[in-house]
Amino acid sequence: MDRIRIVGGRRLEGRIPISGAKNAALPLMIASLLTDRKLTLENLPRLADVNQLTRILGNHGVDYSIDGKRKGEGETSGQTVHLEARVIVDTTAPYELVSKMRASFWVLGPLLARMGEARVSLPGGCAIGTRPVDLLLMAMERLGAQIDIEAGYVVARAPKGLRGAEIDFSKVTVGGTHMALMAASLAHGTTVLHNAAREPEVTDLADCLTKMGARIKGAGSSTIEIEGVARLGGASHAVLPDRIETGTYAMAVAMTGGDVLLEGARADLLQAALDALVETGAEVASEKGGVRVRRNGGDIRPVDIVTEPFPGFPTDLQAQFMGLMTRAAGVSRIRETIFENRFMHVQELARLGAHIRLDGDTAIVEGVPVLKGAPVMATDLRASVSLVIAALAAEGETIVNRVYHLDRGFEHLEKKLGGCNAEIERLSNPG
Ligand code: EPZ
């Protein structure tokens, strides 16, 4: 398995291109199941999760092709892909494929809406909590589906098609909102989602569905109205920039000091996280080409955060912010309210010399003046990258094991950081 070697202590200077958002790309790809026409997605990131989803969609009958490189494109330029589900040949998403990635469970919505049936293995994914699917199934039931659990599979049936309904989510769920949006687009009649997720990735999916002919009002707010249509058509859509990748590199710069332009990034997608970074003493500015982050000397100030659904501080940046706070000049409190077990990075950060104590859903981080490099290992993708952030500021060498977690969500991480003066390399391990 590959590892990443980092020698800390260098300031980051230069430009980092921000890729298309993984968490928008996945539902957008899944939306291709809703139509027999071609869906073209631009700015798709090159990630292990995208490749895995391609395999899953291929199993249902989706043809997939990637455009070759165009003049002026570099290796970090997003790819343009075409997805075409002329005929759905299989409505089962098997355990071997779904267990590797939770988002693949969302195929249930479009398969059910288009084919009247779907059989999808209960999901796997990052080890960050129990992550039930009760709300996703509740939404499908509200739309008229009959749901049974058989041998680890969710079997959903709606032989006469789905029908519009009022769906009230008791908790904000991104996946539940994605799945309900897709399914309701092809239901008979009008659906209203209450307490819908407001994440930018939901809005991106709604924009794409609208281009495909769906009738959606209110995406980006907590009430979304969808008027079902009989058929959806093809469309072309560019994936929005990755706000989590943006925030991750912004925190890396705040950690090491330096000056980096995050090319193509949009500050409005992560204002709460950027506000917290400014409180730590970093300078953040929106510029024509993206978002510029700087920190020149001075202490990293301790800042308390609480993770919340959008527009609050995102749970997907909690680990990275904790990485930054390990070197703050004082004590910070980081409260995780979305997932109950998303502190797996704490014990690994401790290997680098961090002082962190857990108290229920809150991590109390006592900043230290010096971190020291060490071998570390991570259990999920955002946890892994928090170790990279800490390692960039640690004295000496850190080896990050289990790099496949990083490859799931960060495109060309070592090249992007290496291009900004970091001492970082991938060590390939045969076998
Ligand atoms: C999405 O996961 C993201 N994944 C996650 O990013 C992200 O952390 C999460 O949203 C929250 O922002 C993708 O977009 C692919 P949820 P999702 O349903 O949709 C509970 C990453 O690192 N819940 O919004 O699976 C759930 O347990 C990943 O890129 C139920 O109780 O998350 C959690 O506590 C990790 N019942 C909360 O809701 C349900 O049926 C929010 O989960 C569904 C969810």
Side-chain angles (χ1 to χ4, degrees):
M1 256 187 276
D2 287 1
R3 292 166 299 155
I4 297 239
R5 173 178 175 274
I6 297 167
V7 179
R10 294 213 194 160
R11 289 160 63 85
L12 294 174
E13 308 273 353
R15 295 164 169 261
I16 298 181
I18 296 303
S19 298
K22 168 182 86 83
N23 288 350
L26 301 177
L28 288 168
M29 290 171 72
I30 290 173
S32 68
L33 289 169
L34 287 164
T35 174
D36 58 0
R37 299 303 168 86
K38 191 187 280 180
L39 177 64
T40 297
L41 297 176
E42 293 157 29
N43 198 31
L44 202 74
R46 290 174 180 76
L47 296 171
D49 271 10
V50 166
N51 296 340
Q52 174 66 11
L53 185 56
T54 310
R55 280 192 279 279
I56 293 167
L57 295 176
N59 182 58
H60 296 301
V62 179
D63 286 333
Y64 180 87
S65 65
I66 308 177
D67 282 358
K69 206 171 177 175
R70 299 287 184 263
K71 212 172 161 187
E73 285 184 358
E75 64 180 343
T76 52
S77 305
Q79 27 180 16
T80 297
V81 305
H82 309 279
L83 300 128
E84 197 169 357
R86 266 185 308 250
V87 181
I88 302 288
V89 294
D90 195 340
T91 52
T92 296
Y95 172 77
E96 303 74 59
L97 295 175
V98 178
S99 57
K100 297 204 176 84
M101 184 179 45
R102 181 177 164 90
S104 55
F105 185 76
W106 304 340
V107 299
L108 186 95
L111 286 175
L112 181 62
R114 179 165 161 193
M115 305 301 291
E117 60 169 47
R119 194 168 158 266
V120 180
S121 170
L122 285 162
C126 281
I128 55 178
T130 49
R131 305 187 77 185
V133 289
D134 56 324
L135 298 174
L136 281 64
L137 300 183
M138 175 279 292
M140 296 304 105
E141 278 177 335
R142 292 288 304 146
L143 292 172
Q146 187 200 319
I147 306 279
D148 296 293
I149 311 286
E150 293 170 10
Y153 279 75
V154 173
V155 181
R157 295 183 190 91
K160 292 191 187 132
L162 298 173
R163 48 180 163 65
E166 299 268 329
I167 302 177
D168 207 335
F169 291 107
S170 55
K171 190 170 185 178
V172 175
T173 158
V174 174
T177 307
H178 283 323
M179 218 165 88
L181 263 180
M182 289 191 272
S185 291
L186 282 185
H188 303 286
T190 302
T191 299
V192 183
L193 309 182
H194 299 282
N195 199 24
R198 291 187 282 163
E199 268 64 6
E201 293 75 20
V202 167
T203 313
D204 207 34
L205 174 65
D207 286 348
C208 179
L209 290 171
T210 303
K211 289 180 194 165
M212 292 165 72
R215 298 203 185 129
I216 300 173
K217 278 195 280 191
S221 76
S222 50
T223 306
I224 307 181
E225 194 178 303
I226 308 123
E227 197 189 319
V229 294
R231 286 169 64 83
L232 291 172
S236 188
H237 183 81
V239 181
L240 93 171
D242 196 317
R243 63 193 168 104
I244 306 303
E245 191 194 28
T246 304
T248 300
Y249 291 127
M251 286 170 200
V253 178
M255 182 70 155
T256 62
D259 184 345
V260 172
L261 178 67
L262 302 169
E263 287 176 334
R266 271 175 48 193
D268 60 309
L269 301 179
L270 71 158
Q271 203 54 58
L274 294 179
D275 289 348
L277 267 187
V278 168
E279 278 188 63
T280 71
E283 288 172 56
V284 177
S286 282
E287 291 187 3
K288 201 161 156 241
V291 174
R292 188 162 171 196
V293 183
R294 276 184 287 189
R295 191 172 72 79
N296 289 310
D299 285 342
I300 299 170
R301 288 195 289 268
V303 174
D304 297 344
I305 57 148
V306 179
T307 63
E308 281 166 352
F310 191 83
F313 190 101
T315 173
D316 289 348
L317 284 172
Q318 177 258 107
Q320 298 88 317
F321 196 76
M322 194 183 300
L324 174 61
M325 288 297 98
T326 61
R327 292 256 348 255
V331 177
S332 58
R333 298 171 67 85
I334 297 183
R335 188 165 160 239
E336 171 61 56
T337 70
I338 309 291
F339 292 108
E340 75 273 21
N341 190 21
R342 208 172 195 182
F343 282 136
M344 313 291 262
H345 39 286
V346 167
Q347 64 190 34
E348 296 301 307
L349 286 168
R351 285 182 203 278
L352 300 171
H355 286 181
I356 307 168
R357 187 163 57 80
L358 288 180
D359 180 7
D361 65 0
T362 302
I364 298 134
V365 188
E366 195 187 318
V368 293
V370 181
L371 296 172
K372 294 218 163 118
V376 289
M377 182 164 76
T379 45
D380 77 77
L381 93 113
R382 311 304 178 187
S384 318
V385 87
S386 76
L387 300 172
V388 171
I389 290 176
L392 288 171
E395 279 179 2
E397 178 184 278
T398 296
I399 302 285
V400 182
N401 292 291
R402 294 199 181 170
V403 168
Y404 61 85
H405 283 298
L406 287 170
D407 293 337
R408 288 188 48 207
F410 292 92
E411 183 177 353
H412 293 308
L413 174 100
E414 68 276 17
K415 286 189 185 139
K416 289 186 181 185
L417 285 171
C420 282
N421 196 36
E423 191 171 339
I424 180 167
E425 63 177 332
R426 180 178 288 254
L427 307 173
S428 292
N429 231 359

